[in-house]
Amino acid sequence: MLTIPNALTFLRFLGIPLFIYLALSKQADGWAIFVLAIGGATDYFDGKLARALNQESKFGEIADPTIDRLYIAAVLVVLYIRDAIPLWLIAILVARDVVMAGVALVLQLKGFAPLKVTYLGKAATFNLLYAFPFLLLALSDTWYGTGAFIFGWAFAIWGVTLYVGTAVGYFRTAVKTITVRPHIIEG
């Protein structure tokens, strides 16, 4: 379905290889940060517009969080290669996504709809997408690099905390969906 929100989601997807190219091949951090900022803006506006224009779609429901994960994975790899983040941060985020992929698979196999992304889930992604440009900028050995380091890690800590916290909430919702709904349908 060709809609403005879906076009924004696809635009965000196209930003992933562009970001990787700019950050690794060219080390054009300013442009890479600009691409991340556009990605963050499209992540915000695609959902807002979908609801406002009544253009919510199955594609958007699946593609939006999937592209968020791909964006986060690409940025994590780039930041790790550039020595901007430690491996433990990547391990936490990847472990969370692996668990959530397993939960989504179980729900699908049992015939349930995917879990809806919550406001806190969006806030977690938003914090991480804010942290990444700051952490990339923190590689600069300047006064603004120092400031970016502080802001980047503040957003990263909040983002990781919310990311893990929402995973617990999603997991609980999935368990409740699987264990309670069949009894309601049978009864």
Side-chain angles (χ1 to χ4, degrees):
M1 174 189 265
L2 185 58
T3 63
I4 294 170
N6 287 347
L8 288 175
T9 299
F10 187 69
L11 177 66
R12 188 165 74 255
F13 174 72
L14 294 177
I16 296 169
L18 179 59
F19 167 78
I20 293 169
Y21 171 75
L22 291 169
L24 292 180
S25 298
K26 295 291 184 183
Q27 290 200 2
D29 294 347
W31 286 109
I33 290 168
F34 179 73
V35 170
L36 285 179
I38 296 297
T42 59
D43 185 37
Y44 173 77
F45 286 115
D46 64 1
K48 276 280 200 212
L49 287 172
R51 288 183 291 282
L53 300 173
N54 197 26
Q55 293 182 344
E56 294 174 287
S57 68
K58 194 71 167 168
F59 171 80
E61 191 177 295
I62 294 169
D64 183 60
T66 302
I67 292 169
D68 286 347
R69 302 291 84 71
L70 291 173
Y71 230 117
I72 289 170
V75 174
L76 289 174
V77 169
V78 166
L79 291 177
Y80 181 73
I81 290 170
R82 297 274 313 269
D83 290 327
I85 59 170
L87 194 54
W88 64 261
L89 179 69
I90 296 171
I92 290 171
L93 297 177
V94 169
R96 184 265 194 198
D97 280 349
V98 167
V99 169
M100 289 296 90
V103 167
L105 181 61
V106 169
L107 284 171
Q108 183 180 7
L109 290 173
K110 296 207 174 265
F112 293 104
L115 295 173
K116 297 275 186 198
V117 177
T118 65
Y119 175 77
L120 285 178
K122 284 300 236 181
T125 301
F126 185 77
N127 273 275
L128 290 172
L129 291 178
Y130 254 76
F132 298 151
F134 280 117
L135 293 173
L136 187 58
L137 189 58
L139 295 173
S140 171
D141 194 21
T142 61
W143 64 269
Y144 59 84
T146 303
F149 179 85
I150 294 166
F151 282 107
W153 277 104
F155 279 115
I157 290 167
W158 273 107
V160 168
T161 302
L162 288 170
Y163 210 60
V164 171
T166 56
V168 171
Y170 291 144
F171 186 82
R172 291 175 63 187
T173 299
V175 168
K176 190 180 295 183
T177 299
I178 292 167
T179 59
V180 173
R181 284 202 182 153
H183 300 298
I184 293 171
I185 293 169
E186 292 172 337

